[in-house]
Amino acid sequence: MTRALGLGLGLVLGLGGCAEPELGSIRAQRLNRVHYANSLRDLTGVAPALLEQLPADERGLGFDTMAELLTVSPLLLELLERITDEAVAEALGPAGPLRAQLVPCDAEAIGGRACAREVLAGFVPRAWRRPITGAEEAALLELYDAGEELGLGFDGALGLALRSVLLSPNFLFRIERRAGAGEGPARLDGVELASRLAYFLWSTTPDERLLDAALAGELDDAAGLEAEVRRMLADPRAAALTDDFAGQWLLHRAVDDLFKDVTRFPAFDAALQRSMKGEQARFFASFVAEDRDLRELLLATDSFVDARLAELYGLPDPGAGFVRVDLGDAPRRGILTQAGLLSALAHPFRTAPALRGRWVLENLLCEPVAPPPPGVDTPLLDVGATQRERFELHRADPACRGCHAAIDPIGLAFESYDAIGRHRAEEGGVAIDPSGELPSGVAFSGAPELAALIADDPAFVRCATTKALTYALGRGLGEDDEAHVDAITEELAARGYGLRELFVLVATSGPFVSRHAEGT
């Protein structure tokens, strides 16, 4: 750790932000890469070029919001220091996009220290997501004074203080007091809940309205909390639910990293990748904005296509940009037949029925698939004209049958779509058989029929609830959470299964508004 970074972290740790209560009684969750980048942008108005160098966060249970995996390494601290230096320098520069908001006072007219105090009074509560104490303000002003003594001038001295604010654990971590052992769930205080809400619904720091509501006690009241959640869902920043929640649950993000053999799939290129992800994002966003029935994610007969996707799907050219279209007789229904998801669940050279089948079971029905037995590595034989023939031979091996008996019959339903999601009727000159059956024994023929069966299964809505609550809490669900999942699912059905209502119910649920005992 560099001397300057140690100064910034040590200063704020000594202010009381983490000293009271004792460290063992707090829950500190580091901001993940997305949350950090969005928060820094919203606070300073700049997005330093160095942000793209931040390492990807480890994912658990499908999401990068898991608190126990958001660790801190020396390399990460070094990168954060460099990013902070760049952000503060640009923010305070003449061309800083938020310079006038960051520094609303005239240092020459009222004095540098007085102006610095005014800047910190507006900046720190938003950065630390809580009010600043007198001791903390005094310590930050001491840093400003030290900068002035070093001849750094107003901007340089102020930058030193702002740098310390942004390198503080109070910014880099979401800090919550734990419930005591045996105490049971206790409600979060207003500012803690405001942070949870902001990072769940917006993937960024709370705005002034949300912090004001927290300090006024509005979030302590059920009606006030729900009103604030609905305001936030109507805000453009709620697009984060599409980018970050759906981006991981429904694999939108995975489309960015696709690689395909362009010899076999010459239609695939960077532009088609962007079109695939554009469809996925617009489709999910329409469910949030319009509170569409969650089950229609699997059944919808409409989607959003541009010229490239229309060509891939065999639809009329919609003209410039994305257009909402009726899929009509096209063999497309909901997310399961969108090219982005199908491409993400395929190999560069061919389809991947096992990947597709496993993803459906684990992400739409929350039925975990056991990993292969230790030491088992039986590659798929490159024989037969179709994937169905190859996988039938694969399942004949006793070492493979246990896992593949459940996932293959589902994955083979998608064989009517190739490795870039284009519909096809045959493979290797042989007509494709897309029939299969669920683990329950219910048979279907093709992806649209499979989608209809899943949509009609109560396990799908409960699984979607589980995914949303897991993402929101940043932890795995325990036995005590299961009753809440059931209650949310039941209430969601009473409200017509609207996707926006799912987020309202999660954000106002017992687990979300409560602190947890140590060790949970």
Side-chain angles (χ1 to χ4, degrees), residues 275 278-280 282-283 286-287 290 292 296 299-334 337-338:
S275 296
E279 177 189 25
Q280 291 175 297
R282 287 168 174 80
F283 184 73
S286 74
F287 278 74
E290 301 165 20
R292 297 177 66 180
E296 288 295 310
L299 302 173
T301 59
D302 67 296
S303 194
F304 297 80
V305 303
D306 62 1
R308 289 300 304 276
L309 276 181
E311 181 181 5
L312 188 74
Y313 290 175
L315 298 171
D317 188 336
F322 278 88
V323 175
R324 191 173 197 161
V325 298
D326 185 338
L327 296 170
D329 295 330
R332 308 275 171 182
R333 292 293 181 270
T337 56
Q338 289 179 350

Side-chain angles (χ1 to χ4, degrees), residues 76-396:
L76 179 62
L77 288 175
E78 182 178 345
L79 286 171
L80 293 175
E81 181 181 23
R82 293 167 58 194
I83 289 168
T84 301
D85 286 346
E86 186 178 331
V88 170
E90 186 175 347
L92 293 178
L98 295 182
R99 165 79 195 206
Q101 296 179 41
L102 283 174
V103 188
C105 45
D106 186 337
E108 293 186 3
I110 68 172
R113 201 172 197 273
C115 188
R117 177 182 284 110
E118 185 175 339
V119 172
L120 293 170
F123 185 80
V124 178
R126 286 202 62 207
W128 290 355
R129 304 173 285 276
R130 61 166 177 78
I132 183 174
T133 69
E136 289 166 340
E137 181 187 80
L140 289 169
L141 285 172
E142 285 182 16
L143 261 185
Y144 170 83
D145 293 339
E148 285 279 26
E149 291 175 6
L150 291 172
L152 300 180
F154 173 75
D155 281 3
L158 177 61
L160 194 61
L162 294 182
R163 182 180 183 278
S164 182
V165 171
L166 295 174
L167 288 173
S168 163
N170 292 294
F171 173 63
L172 299 176
F173 291 81
R174 289 167 47 201
I175 298 172
E176 298 173 358
R177 183 174 62 81
R178 285 188 183 275
E183 181 181 333
R187 193 176 180 92
L188 296 168
D189 67 37
V191 293
E192 291 171 338
L193 183 52
S195 285
R196 274 201 190 181
L197 287 170
Y199 287 105
F200 170 37
L201 301 176
W202 288 349
S203 291
T204 191
T205 193
D207 64 0
E208 290 184 14
R209 172 68 187 90
L210 180 54
L211 286 175
D212 287 346
L215 294 172
E218 294 175 23
L219 303 185
D220 300 331
D221 172 72
L225 172 60
E226 182 170 331
E228 191 60 18
V229 170
R230 292 190 182 280
R231 177 189 76 87
M232 296 176 71
L233 285 169
D235 189 282
R237 284 169 287 192
L241 290 168
T242 297
D243 298 336
D244 303 322
F245 170 62
Q248 295 179 85
W249 178 37
L250 304 180
L251 301 186
H252 303 181
R253 287 188 187 178
V255 175
D256 292 331
D257 301 320
L258 288 180
F259 170 77
K260 299 295 178 182
D261 179 0
V262 294
T263 301
R264 299 189 186 192
F265 305 104
F268 185 82
D269 58 16
L272 184 59
Q273 275 180 275
R274 290 192 294 271
S275 296
M276 289 175 176
K277 188 171 182 179
E279 177 189 25
Q280 291 175 297
R282 287 168 174 80
F283 184 73
F284 188 87
S286 74
F287 278 74
V288 180
E290 301 165 20
D291 199 26
R292 297 177 66 180
D293 188 324
L294 169 65
R295 298 167 299 179
E296 288 295 310
L297 282 172
L298 303 173
L299 302 173
T301 59
D302 67 296
S303 194
F304 297 80
V305 303
D306 62 1
R308 289 300 304 276
L309 276 181
E311 181 181 5
L312 188 74
Y313 290 175
L315 298 171
D317 188 336
F322 278 88
V323 175
R324 191 173 197 161
V325 298
D326 185 338
L327 296 170
D329 295 330
R332 308 275 171 182
R333 292 293 181 270
I335 60 171
L336 288 181
T337 56
Q338 289 179 350
L341 181 64
L342 291 165
S343 297
L345 296 171
H347 298 307
F349 305 98
R350 61 172 53 164
T351 59
L355 285 179
R356 290 171 172 178
R358 180 171 188 155
W359 186 87
V360 168
L361 285 174
E362 293 187 337
N363 288 278
L364 300 184
L365 296 172
C366 288
E367 293 186 12
V369 177
V376 172
D377 182 15
T378 308
L380 189 68
L381 298 176
D382 194 11
V383 296
T386 67
Q387 288 282 64
R388 180 174 288 276
E389 293 173 358
R390 299 181 193 107
F391 273 81
E392 285 175 352
L393 288 172
H394 200 59
R395 286 197 304 279

Side-chain angles (χ1 to χ4, degrees), residues 295-507:
R295 298 167 299 179
E296 288 295 310
L297 282 172
L298 303 173
L299 302 173
T301 59
D302 67 296
S303 194
F304 297 80
V305 303
D306 62 1
R308 289 300 304 276
L309 276 181
E311 181 181 5
L312 188 74
Y313 290 175
L315 298 171
D317 188 336
F322 278 88
V323 175
R324 191 173 197 161
V325 298
D326 185 338
L327 296 170
D329 295 330
R332 308 275 171 182
R333 292 293 181 270
I335 60 171
L336 288 181
T337 56
Q338 289 179 350
L341 181 64
L342 291 165
S343 297
L345 296 171
H347 298 307
F349 305 98
R350 61 172 53 164
T351 59
L355 285 179
R356 290 171 172 178
R358 180 171 188 155
W359 186 87
V360 168
L361 285 174
E362 293 187 337
N363 288 278
L364 300 184
L365 296 172
C366 288
E367 293 186 12
V369 177
V376 172
D377 182 15
T378 308
L380 189 68
L381 298 176
D382 194 11
V383 296
T386 67
Q387 288 282 64
R388 180 174 288 276
E389 293 173 358
R390 299 181 193 107
F391 273 81
E392 285 175 352
L393 288 172
H394 200 59
R395 286 197 304 279
D397 187 329
C400 306
R401 187 180 303 123
C403 296
H404 286 269
I407 61 180
D408 289 0
I410 294 175
L412 290 168
F414 299 96
E415 279 302 290
S416 294
Y417 307 88
D418 68 14
I420 63 170
R422 179 172 42 204
H423 190 262
R424 60 183 183 172
E426 60 180 43
E427 179 190 5
V430 177
I432 288 174
D433 174 11
S435 63
E437 64 179 33
L438 291 168
S440 62
V442 177
F444 55 83
S445 180
E449 285 190 16
L450 170 63
L453 289 172
I454 295 173
D456 195 46
D457 189 336
F460 168 63
V461 176
R462 194 180 193 283
C463 186
T465 299
T466 298
K467 296 292 182 181
L469 190 57
T470 299
Y471 171 82
L473 294 176
R475 62 173 177 81
L477 304 188
E479 291 183 6
D480 292 343
D481 299 308
E482 294 304 313
H484 293 282
V485 173
D486 290 336
I488 293 171
T489 304
E490 183 178 346
E491 179 60 24
L492 185 63
R495 298 187 186 188
Y497 297 100
L499 183 59
R500 189 170 63 232
E501 289 304 301
L502 172 60
F503 297 128
V504 172
L505 289 168
V506 167

Side-chain angles (χ1 to χ4, degrees), residues 4-15:
L5 180 56
L7 172 66
L9 291 176
L11 166 72
V12 182
L13 277 168
L15 293 179

